[in-house]
Amino acid sequence: MTAKRILLIGDFGRSGFGAPYYNTNFALHAGFVRAGCHVLPFSDRDTAREASMLGRKGLGRGAMNKALVDTAHTYQPHLILFGHADMTAPATFDSLRRSVPGARLAQFNVDALFRSATMARFRDRATHVDLSFITTASPERLRAIGAPPGTIAYFPNPVDSGIAVHDLSQVARGDVAYDGIFLGTPIERREEQVDALAAHLSPDFRFYAGGGVRGSARLTGPRYLETLASATMSPNLPLDHSVPVDFLYSSDRLAHLLCHAIVPFCPAESGLETLYEDGIVTYMDLEDLADKMHRLAEDDTQRRAIAAKGKRLGVDRTGADRVARYMLDMVLGEGPTTDYGWPSDRI
């Protein structure tokens, strides 16, 4: 495939001086560049804020949509890719097709399917784009979203090795601050899970929970990555443990853990060992999770081996450049040009 121009719309955090540089928008930007494409990022929220004298994105929404169309007209991309671009007006999609004849439109989403408001917006955008990517692979669950048939496909969270600040597979347990860590917001039933897990862990297991849970401050930028890499393992907790985890679903936390060789503990029902084999550890419930974290803390040789394999498979199998090539195959081509190792049917 010849080099392509890609207009990538999402939150690139200009107002926060680029603090979320590890998010999926940035990972895909890096992946497409490594895949040989030219990528122009368009930060929709920042553009809307900057268009309002009061700095409020809602007031600058109209100006942002016009700026998006003008940018596309100038750049003439082959692919216009939206990432959680909730501020894009329905009429803008039609304007983009008129301004860039022949361009393909796509979107991606990394949220859990039970988040009904998010899925409603995702479904609405799916009626305007050629293909929608999402980090869930169950065909039955994807059909239930209600998008037009044949317009949704799975994609894994892209692992961007460029954000890594440490390789924990090369570090002994005694040389880091914590055995286990969880960083995340307290939305849904996260707080309940963190407290229950902590109750199951012994006092000598060094566990830290922060980044929003337990009244802690949310972490961004290098501070988030440095804090994350201060532990050897991390539970990849879902938002709500009472809701079944869909096949191959995870938030982008998994990508952050894998690139740092921090052992991820994932719900068994997610089936993520399909992608990462024994480079991750699966658990059935919070008691099983605590037991497996304890056992791995006592066997640092095994922990480091699992961590190294997880990092290798994360970068080799679901690296940002490989995920980017898959997305190009799906949107601009006739389908996968190779066996990527994950479901690639259009649902």
Side-chain angles (χ1 to χ4, degrees), residues 235-275:
N236 186 23
L237 297 175
L239 289 174
D240 187 342
H241 58 294
S242 68
V243 177
V245 179
D246 290 311
F247 182 50
L248 296 187
Y249 174 73
S250 172
S251 69
D252 61 350
R253 174 182 293 99
L254 179 60
H256 302 166
L257 298 176
L258 290 170
C259 78
H260 285 94
I262 301 167
V263 176
F265 288 76
C266 302
E269 58 195 347
S270 68
L272 283 162
E273 71 276 7
T274 303
L275 294 177

Short mmCIF file of all heavy atoms in Angstrom, two decimals, residues 235-275:
data_model
loop_
_atom_site.label_atom_id
_atom_site.label_comp_id
_atom_site.label_asym_id
_atom_site.label_seq_id
_atom_site.Cartn_x
_atom_site.Cartn_y
_atom_site.Cartn_z
N PRO A 235 -3.54 -5.09 38.64
CA PRO A 235 -4.83 -5.64 38.20
C PRO A 235 -5.43 -4.75 37.13
O PRO A 235 -5.45 -3.53 37.26
CB PRO A 235 -5.67 -5.63 39.48
CG PRO A 235 -5.09 -4.52 40.30
CD PRO A 235 -3.62 -4.51 39.99
N ASN A 236 -5.91 -5.37 36.06
CA ASN A 236 -6.58 -4.63 34.99
C ASN A 236 -8.08 -4.68 35.27
O ASN A 236 -8.84 -5.38 34.61
CB ASN A 236 -6.24 -5.28 33.64
CG ASN A 236 -6.77 -4.50 32.46
OD1 ASN A 236 -7.01 -3.30 32.55
ND2 ASN A 236 -6.97 -5.18 31.34
N LEU A 237 -8.49 -3.94 36.30
CA LEU A 237 -9.86 -4.02 36.79
C LEU A 237 -10.85 -3.41 35.81
O LEU A 237 -10.62 -2.32 35.28
CB LEU A 237 -9.98 -3.29 38.14
CG LEU A 237 -9.16 -3.84 39.30
CD1 LEU A 237 -9.32 -2.93 40.52
CD2 LEU A 237 -9.58 -5.27 39.65
N PRO A 238 -11.99 -4.07 35.59
CA PRO A 238 -13.05 -3.46 34.78
C PRO A 238 -13.74 -2.36 35.57
O PRO A 238 -13.51 -2.20 36.78
CB PRO A 238 -13.99 -4.63 34.50
CG PRO A 238 -13.83 -5.52 35.70
CD PRO A 238 -12.38 -5.41 36.10
N LEU A 239 -14.61 -1.62 34.92
CA LEU A 239 -15.35 -0.57 35.62
C LEU A 239 -16.32 -1.15 36.64
O LEU A 239 -16.54 -0.58 37.70
CB LEU A 239 -16.12 0.29 34.62
CG LEU A 239 -15.30 1.22 33.72
CD1 LEU A 239 -16.20 1.89 32.70
CD2 LEU A 239 -14.57 2.25 34.55
N ASP A 240 -16.89 -2.30 36.30
CA ASP A 240 -17.92 -2.90 37.16
C ASP A 240 -17.75 -4.41 37.10
O ASP A 240 -18.02 -5.04 36.07
CB ASP A 240 -19.31 -2.48 36.67
CG ASP A 240 -20.43 -2.94 37.61
OD1 ASP A 240 -20.19 -3.84 38.43
OD2 ASP A 240 -21.54 -2.39 37.51
N HIS A 241 -17.30 -5.02 38.19
CA HIS A 241 -17.04 -6.46 38.19
C HIS A 241 -18.31 -7.30 38.19
O HIS A 241 -18.25 -8.52 38.02
CB HIS A 241 -16.18 -6.84 39.40
CG HIS A 241 -16.79 -6.47 40.72
ND1 HIS A 241 -16.97 -5.17 41.12
CD2 HIS A 241 -17.24 -7.24 41.75
CE1 HIS A 241 -17.52 -5.14 42.32
NE2 HIS A 241 -17.70 -6.38 42.72
N SER A 242 -19.48 -6.65 38.36
CA SER A 242 -20.74 -7.40 38.31
C SER A 242 -21.26 -7.54 36.88
O SER A 242 -22.21 -8.29 36.64
CB SER A 242 -21.80 -6.71 39.17
OG SER A 242 -22.19 -5.47 38.61
N VAL A 243 -20.63 -6.84 35.94
CA VAL A 243 -21.03 -6.91 34.53
C VAL A 243 -20.01 -7.78 33.80
O VAL A 243 -18.81 -7.55 33.90
CB VAL A 243 -21.06 -5.50 33.90
CG1 VAL A 243 -21.39 -5.58 32.42
CG2 VAL A 243 -22.06 -4.62 34.63
N PRO A 244 -20.45 -8.79 33.04
CA PRO A 244 -19.50 -9.65 32.31
C PRO A 244 -18.61 -8.83 31.40
O PRO A 244 -19.05 -7.89 30.73
CB PRO A 244 -20.42 -10.58 31.50
CG PRO A 244 -21.71 -10.60 32.27
CD PRO A 244 -21.85 -9.23 32.86
N VAL A 245 -17.32 -9.19 31.38
CA VAL A 245 -16.37 -8.51 30.51
C VAL A 245 -16.44 -9.13 29.13
O VAL A 245 -16.34 -10.35 28.98
CB VAL A 245 -14.93 -8.61 31.08
CG1 VAL A 245 -13.94 -7.92 30.14
CG2 VAL A 245 -14.86 -8.01 32.46
N ASP A 246 -16.60 -8.31 28.11
CA ASP A 246 -16.75 -8.81 26.75
C ASP A 246 -15.43 -9.39 26.22
O ASP A 246 -14.34 -9.02 26.66
CB ASP A 246 -17.23 -7.69 25.82
CG ASP A 246 -18.67 -7.30 26.11
OD1 ASP A 246 -19.52 -8.21 26.21
OD2 ASP A 246 -18.95 -6.10 26.26
N PHE A 247 -15.55 -10.27 25.24
CA PHE A 247 -14.41 -10.97 24.65
C PHE A 247 -13.39 -9.97 24.10
O PHE A 247 -13.73 -9.09 23.30
CB PHE A 247 -14.89 -11.90 23.55
CG PHE A 247 -13.81 -12.71 22.90
CD1 PHE A 247 -12.90 -13.43 23.67
CD2 PHE A 247 -13.69 -12.76 21.52
CE1 PHE A 247 -11.89 -14.18 23.08
CE2 PHE A 247 -12.69 -13.51 20.91
CZ PHE A 247 -11.79 -14.22 21.69
N LEU A 248 -12.15 -10.11 24.56
CA LEU A 248 -10.99 -9.31 24.18
C LEU A 248 -11.08 -7.85 24.60
O LEU A 248 -10.25 -7.03 24.18
CB LEU A 248 -10.73 -9.39 22.66
CG LEU A 248 -10.36 -10.77 22.12
CD1 LEU A 248 -9.97 -10.67 20.65
CD2 LEU A 248 -9.25 -11.43 22.92
N TYR A 249 -12.05 -7.50 25.45
CA TYR A 249 -12.14 -6.09 25.86
C TYR A 249 -11.13 -5.76 26.96
O TYR A 249 -10.92 -6.52 27.91
CB TYR A 249 -13.53 -5.72 26.39
CG TYR A 249 -13.51 -4.31 26.95
CD1 TYR A 249 -13.45 -3.22 26.09
CD2 TYR A 249 -13.45 -4.07 28.32
CE1 TYR A 249 -13.34 -1.94 26.57
CE2 TYR A 249 -13.35 -2.79 28.82
CZ TYR A 249 -13.29 -1.73 27.94
OH TYR A 249 -13.17 -0.44 28.42
N SER A 250 -10.56 -4.60 26.83
CA SER A 250 -9.80 -3.96 27.90
C SER A 250 -9.72 -2.48 27.58
O SER A 250 -9.78 -2.08 26.42
CB SER A 250 -8.38 -4.53 28.01
OG SER A 250 -7.61 -3.77 28.94
N SER A 251 -9.56 -1.67 28.62
CA SER A 251 -9.25 -0.26 28.40
C SER A 251 -7.79 -0.17 27.95
O SER A 251 -7.07 -1.18 27.92
CB SER A 251 -9.45 0.53 29.69
OG SER A 251 -8.45 0.17 30.63
N ASP A 252 -7.34 1.04 27.62
CA ASP A 252 -5.95 1.20 27.18
C ASP A 252 -4.95 1.03 28.32
O ASP A 252 -3.74 1.04 28.08
CB ASP A 252 -5.75 2.54 26.48
CG ASP A 252 -6.04 3.74 27.37
OD1 ASP A 252 -6.57 3.56 28.48
OD2 ASP A 252 -5.77 4.88 26.94
N ARG A 253 -5.45 0.82 29.53
CA ARG A 253 -4.54 0.51 30.65
C ARG A 253 -3.66 -0.69 30.30
O ARG A 253 -2.47 -0.73 30.63
CB ARG A 253 -5.34 0.21 31.93
CG ARG A 253 -4.46 -0.27 33.10
CD ARG A 253 -5.24 -0.61 34.34
NE ARG A 253 -5.83 0.60 34.91
CZ ARG A 253 -7.09 0.96 34.72
NH1 ARG A 253 -7.90 0.20 34.00
NH2 ARG A 253 -7.54 2.06 35.25
N LEU A 254 -4.24 -1.69 29.64
CA LEU A 254 -3.49 -2.89 29.30
C LEU A 254 -2.29 -2.55 28.43
O LEU A 254 -1.19 -3.08 28.64
CB LEU A 254 -4.42 -3.88 28.57
CG LEU A 254 -3.76 -5.19 28.13
CD1 LEU A 254 -3.20 -5.94 29.33
CD2 LEU A 254 -4.76 -6.06 27.37
N ALA A 255 -2.46 -1.66 27.47
CA ALA A 255 -1.34 -1.26 26.61
C ALA A 255 -0.25 -0.58 27.42
O ALA A 255 0.95 -0.80 27.19
CB ALA A 255 -1.83 -0.33 25.50
N HIS A 256 -0.63 0.24 28.40
CA HIS A 256 0.36 0.94 29.23
C HIS A 256 1.13 -0.06 30.08
O HIS A 256 2.35 0.10 30.29
CB HIS A 256 -0.33 1.96 30.13
CG HIS A 256 -1.12 2.98 29.39
ND1 HIS A 256 -2.04 3.81 30.01
CD2 HIS A 256 -1.14 3.33 28.08
CE1 HIS A 256 -2.58 4.61 29.12
NE2 HIS A 256 -2.06 4.34 27.94
N LEU A 257 0.46 -1.08 30.58
CA LEU A 257 1.12 -2.09 31.40
C LEU A 257 2.09 -2.93 30.57
O LEU A 257 3.23 -3.17 30.97
CB LEU A 257 0.09 -2.98 32.08
CG LEU A 257 -0.88 -2.30 33.05
CD1 LEU A 257 -1.91 -3.30 33.58
CD2 LEU A 257 -0.13 -1.65 34.21
N LEU A 258 1.63 -3.38 29.41
CA LEU A 258 2.45 -4.25 28.59
C LEU A 258 3.73 -3.57 28.13
O LEU A 258 4.81 -4.17 28.15
CB LEU A 258 1.65 -4.73 27.37
CG LEU A 258 0.52 -5.72 27.67
CD1 LEU A 258 -0.34 -5.92 26.42
CD2 LEU A 258 1.06 -7.05 28.16
N CYS A 259 3.65 -2.30 27.73
CA CYS A 259 4.85 -1.65 27.21
C CYS A 259 5.89 -1.41 28.31
O CYS A 259 7.07 -1.24 28.01
CB CYS A 259 4.51 -0.38 26.46
SG CYS A 259 4.14 1.05 27.47
N HIS A 260 5.44 -1.40 29.57
CA HIS A 260 6.38 -1.23 30.69
C HIS A 260 6.78 -2.57 31.32
O HIS A 260 7.52 -2.59 32.31
CB HIS A 260 5.75 -0.35 31.78
CG HIS A 260 5.72 1.10 31.42
ND1 HIS A 260 4.63 1.71 30.82
CD2 HIS A 260 6.65 2.08 31.57
CE1 HIS A 260 4.89 2.98 30.62
NE2 HIS A 260 6.10 3.24 31.07
N ALA A 261 6.30 -3.68 30.76
CA ALA A 261 6.56 -5.01 31.32
C ALA A 261 6.09 -5.10 32.77
O ALA A 261 6.75 -5.69 33.62
CB ALA A 261 8.04 -5.38 31.20
N ILE A 262 4.94 -4.50 33.04
CA ILE A 262 4.26 -4.66 34.31
C ILE A 262 3.23 -5.78 34.11
O ILE A 262 2.44 -5.72 33.18
CB ILE A 262 3.54 -3.36 34.73
CG1 ILE A 262 4.54 -2.22 34.85
CG2 ILE A 262 2.77 -3.54 36.03
CD1 ILE A 262 3.89 -0.83 34.95
N VAL A 263 3.27 -6.81 34.93
CA VAL A 263 2.40 -7.96 34.71
C VAL A 263 0.94 -7.55 34.88
O VAL A 263 0.53 -7.11 35.95
CB VAL A 263 2.74 -9.11 35.68
CG1 VAL A 263 1.75 -10.26 35.49
CG2 VAL A 263 4.16 -9.59 35.46
N PRO A 264 0.11 -7.71 33.82
CA PRO A 264 -1.31 -7.38 33.95
C PRO A 264 -2.10 -8.61 34.44
O PRO A 264 -1.86 -9.73 33.97
CB PRO A 264 -1.74 -7.02 32.52
CG PRO A 264 -0.50 -7.12 31.68
CD PRO A 264 0.46 -7.97 32.42
N PHE A 265 -3.02 -8.39 35.34
CA PHE A 265 -3.95 -9.43 35.79
C PHE A 265 -5.32 -9.09 35.19
O PHE A 265 -5.91 -8.06 35.56
CB PHE A 265 -4.02 -9.49 37.31
CG PHE A 265 -2.79 -10.05 37.95
CD1 PHE A 265 -1.62 -9.29 38.04
CD2 PHE A 265 -2.78 -11.34 38.45
CE1 PHE A 265 -0.48 -9.82 38.62
CE2 PHE A 265 -1.63 -11.88 39.04
CZ PHE A 265 -0.48 -11.12 39.11
N CYS A 266 -5.80 -9.92 34.28
CA CYS A 266 -7.01 -9.62 33.52
C CYS A 266 -8.13 -10.59 33.85
O CYS A 266 -7.87 -11.78 34.08
CB CYS A 266 -6.71 -9.69 32.02
SG CYS A 266 -5.38 -8.59 31.47
N PRO A 267 -9.38 -10.13 33.85
CA PRO A 267 -10.51 -11.04 34.08
C PRO A 267 -10.48 -12.18 33.07
O PRO A 267 -10.31 -11.97 31.87
CB PRO A 267 -11.72 -10.13 33.87
CG PRO A 267 -11.23 -8.75 34.13
CD PRO A 267 -9.82 -8.73 33.65
N ALA A 268 -10.66 -13.41 33.56
CA ALA A 268 -10.55 -14.58 32.69
C ALA A 268 -11.56 -14.54 31.56
O ALA A 268 -11.28 -14.99 30.44
CB ALA A 268 -10.73 -15.85 33.53
N GLU A 269 -12.75 -14.00 31.82
CA GLU A 269 -13.80 -14.01 30.80
C GLU A 269 -13.47 -13.14 29.60
O GLU A 269 -14.08 -13.27 28.53
CB GLU A 269 -15.13 -13.58 31.42
CG GLU A 269 -15.11 -12.21 32.06
CD GLU A 269 -16.32 -11.97 32.96
OE1 GLU A 269 -17.27 -12.76 32.88
OE2 GLU A 269 -16.29 -10.99 33.73
N SER A 270 -12.49 -12.24 29.74
CA SER A 270 -12.11 -11.39 28.61
C SER A 270 -11.40 -12.17 27.51
O SER A 270 -11.36 -11.74 26.36
CB SER A 270 -11.22 -10.24 29.07
OG SER A 270 -9.96 -10.72 29.50
N GLY A 271 -10.80 -13.31 27.87
CA GLY A 271 -10.11 -14.14 26.88
C GLY A 271 -8.87 -13.49 26.28
O GLY A 271 -8.43 -13.85 25.18
N LEU A 272 -8.26 -12.56 27.00
CA LEU A 272 -7.12 -11.83 26.44
C LEU A 272 -5.87 -12.67 26.28
O LEU A 272 -4.94 -12.28 25.57
CB LEU A 272 -6.82 -10.60 27.30
CG LEU A 272 -7.79 -9.43 27.08
CD1 LEU A 272 -7.75 -8.44 28.22
CD2 LEU A 272 -7.50 -8.74 25.75
N GLU A 273 -5.86 -13.87 26.87
CA GLU A 273 -4.73 -14.78 26.64
C GLU A 273 -4.71 -15.23 25.18
O GLU A 273 -3.69 -15.74 24.69
CB GLU A 273 -4.78 -15.97 27.59
CG GLU A 273 -5.88 -16.98 27.31
CD GLU A 273 -7.22 -16.59 27.92
OE1 GLU A 273 -7.33 -15.46 28.46
OE2 GLU A 273 -8.15 -17.42 27.88
N THR A 274 -5.81 -15.05 24.46
CA THR A 274 -5.84 -15.33 23.02
C THR A 274 -4.78 -14.50 22.30
O THR A 274 -4.14 -14.97 21.35
CB THR A 274 -7.23 -15.00 22.44
OG1 THR A 274 -8.22 -15.74 23.14
CG2 THR A 274 -7.30 -15.31 20.95
N LEU A 275 -4.58 -13.28 22.75
CA LEU A 275 -3.60 -12.39 22.14
C LEU A 275 -2.23 -12.49 22.81
O LEU A 275 -1.20 -12.45 22.13
CB LEU A 275 -4.08 -10.94 22.22
CG LEU A 275 -5.32 -10.55 21.42
CD1 LEU A 275 -5.68 -9.10 21.69
CD2 LEU A 275 -5.08 -10.77 19.94
#
